[in-house]
Amino acid sequence: MSQEGDDMMTSCPLCRADFPTDAEANNSMIRHSAENGRSWAQITVGTWYWNGSDGCPVDKREALKWVELAAEQHHPRALGMLAGMYKDGVYGIVTQSESRAMSLRKEAADLGNSRAQAELAHMYQYRNSGEEDQQKAALYMTLAGATQGGQASCHLGESFYYGLAGFNKSLYRAKHYFEEAAGNNDDAAYYLLAMTLLELNAIEYKGVKSVPGHCCIPKVLFWARKALASEQYKARAIQLIEQVLSTRKQFCANCKRNAECLSEKMKQCVRCKAAWYCGRECQVKHWKDGHKTECIKQK
């Protein structure tokens, strides 16, 4: 359970006084505020004990005490953190309860906590008790995507890509949200963005992937290669890369001559590593014809 929000503040949210720059003095001030009933400080102390940070030992029971105090004051992040405890259960401390987790998460989501909104959307989506649940999943996923970006945008992209959570399938909308998530370094979006680009190409150009200036392959390979860092999509990314490269290596991107008909080995574009040429003349012509607008430097 990660920390976010309050523990990144540099001034008191009530009086706006700057926090001490000395770490020990700063922590002492936060603890004093927590003991005086300040919810923002209580959730901060709670996360210290939960993670074993800022001089506090890992103590789940003590963490629960402070989180509950903040939640009693309807602190959004405290409600979301408490919901996570009830969803998974904490051995000997918190008994697992999906209904309690749902109730707490909904309160946090309705108070504007974007992480709670995204998690609540998934709970409604996978509970799938009917159309009403799907509508609620769509509502909270949209709210989360509008403020959180990253993972929430990826979930929105998946909903449009697969037609989930009450959304009609739309590859264009899926592409928009996957690009937003990928821009926020959400590695789960990389592979899905690559696949979306391929599918859109099949629709827009009837499957022809070598239209100069409009070839999707450099972008597909760029995102597929980034997806190699994703445990969830690594195997599928490897398969996609191998599939694409096995086809691209067979012909010159410009004149379409088959590699087997050439006496010399074809030259690869060193920038995007997504196009091969029978010679420099074809490479220069292809660049001028439009490859320069689609070529993406591989990192």
Side-chain angles (χ1 to χ4, degrees):
M1 200 170 294
S2 63
Q3 300 182 51
E4 62 174 31
D6 299 328
D7 52 331
M8 301 302 291
M9 294 188 300
T10 58
S11 62
C12 175
L14 300 178
C15 68
R16 300 301 177 187
D18 289 338
F19 287 162
T21 55
D22 176 72
E24 187 175 344
N26 181 64
N27 291 352
S28 176
M29 183 275 296
I30 292 174
R31 183 175 288 277
H32 178 73
S33 297
E35 291 169 350
N36 283 326
R38 305 301 188 191
S39 61
W40 62 268
Q42 291 168 339
I43 181 60
T44 301
V45 173
T47 55
W48 289 349
Y49 280 109
W50 183 266
N51 296 319
S53 63
D54 293 82
C56 296
V58 173
D59 188 332
K60 304 300 185 185
R61 195 176 297 278
E62 187 70 9
L64 175 64
K65 181 190 81 171
W66 289 107
V67 172
E68 283 185 326
L69 287 171
E72 287 172 4
Q73 299 186 63
H74 309 287
H75 189 285
R77 189 162 67 91
L79 291 164
M81 188 171 178
L82 192 58
M85 294 180 184
Y86 275 101
K87 182 178 182 297
D88 301 325
V90 182
Y91 183 74
I93 302 174
V94 178
T95 303
Q96 186 177 18
S97 172
E98 285 289 341
S99 60
R100 179 67 173 144
M102 177 73 85
S103 175
L104 288 164
R105 194 151 278 154
K106 186 177 186 306
E107 185 177 354
D110 290 341
L111 287 169
N113 184 274
S114 58
R115 175 172 292 183
Q117 290 166 345
E119 292 170 344
L120 185 63
H122 266 67
M123 292 174 78
Y124 278 123
Q125 179 178 330
Y126 293 110
R127 188 175 73 170
N128 194 17
S129 298
E131 185 177 348
E132 185 179 354
D133 268 5
Q134 293 304 298
Q135 290 174 348
K136 288 179 179 178
L139 168 65
Y140 285 108
M141 201 170 292
T142 302
L143 289 171
T147 56
Q148 187 182 31
Q151 189 177 33
S153 293
C154 186
H155 292 329
L156 266 174
E158 288 180 280
S159 296
F160 281 114
Y161 183 78
Y162 295 110
L164 302 173
F167 292 99
N168 293 323
K169 181 169 181 175
S170 171
L171 292 175
Y172 293 101
R173 290 183 178 181
K175 174 177 173 287
H176 167 76
Y177 286 111
F178 286 146
E179 285 179 334
E180 190 173 270
N184 285 306
N185 300 316
D186 185 342
D187 59 11
Y190 300 151
Y191 172 79
L192 293 168
L193 177 55
M195 291 302 299
T196 301
L197 291 169
L198 273 178
E199 292 187 35
L200 280 172
N201 175 267
I203 295 171
E204 295 175 340
Y205 300 103
K206 309 299 182 185
V208 178
K209 303 181 181 67
S210 54
V211 179
H214 301 276
C215 179
C216 68
I217 296 303
K219 285 185 179 180
V220 168
L221 287 175
F222 175 83
W223 293 115
R225 284 163 177 155
K226 285 185 72 69
L228 295 174
S230 167
E231 291 184 12
Q232 182 180 1
Y233 290 107
K234 181 178 180 179
R236 279 180 276 184
I238 291 173
Q239 185 178 12
L240 175 60
I241 292 168
E242 291 176 347
Q243 179 185 343
V244 171
L245 291 182
S246 65
T247 302
R248 298 287 289 181
K249 290 178 179 179
Q250 293 178 9
F251 60 89
C252 173
N254 180 62
C255 69
K256 306 299 185 275
R257 292 178 65 188
N258 195 299
E260 295 180 356
C261 300
L262 302 174
S263 58
E264 297 182 4
K265 185 178 179 181
M266 289 207 300
K267 296 176 174 59
Q268 183 185 28
C269 176
V270 296
R271 192 166 186 269
C272 67
K273 296 180 172 60
W276 279 258
Y277 304 96
C278 60
R280 177 168 174 75
E281 185 178 341
C282 272
Q283 185 171 5
V284 171
K285 186 177 187 306
H286 192 242
W287 179 263
K288 291 180 179 179
D289 285 347
H291 184 61
K292 61 184 177 182
T293 65
E294 65 200 19
C295 185
I296 301 177
K297 186 176 182 180
Q298 299 292 324
K299 296 180 179 180

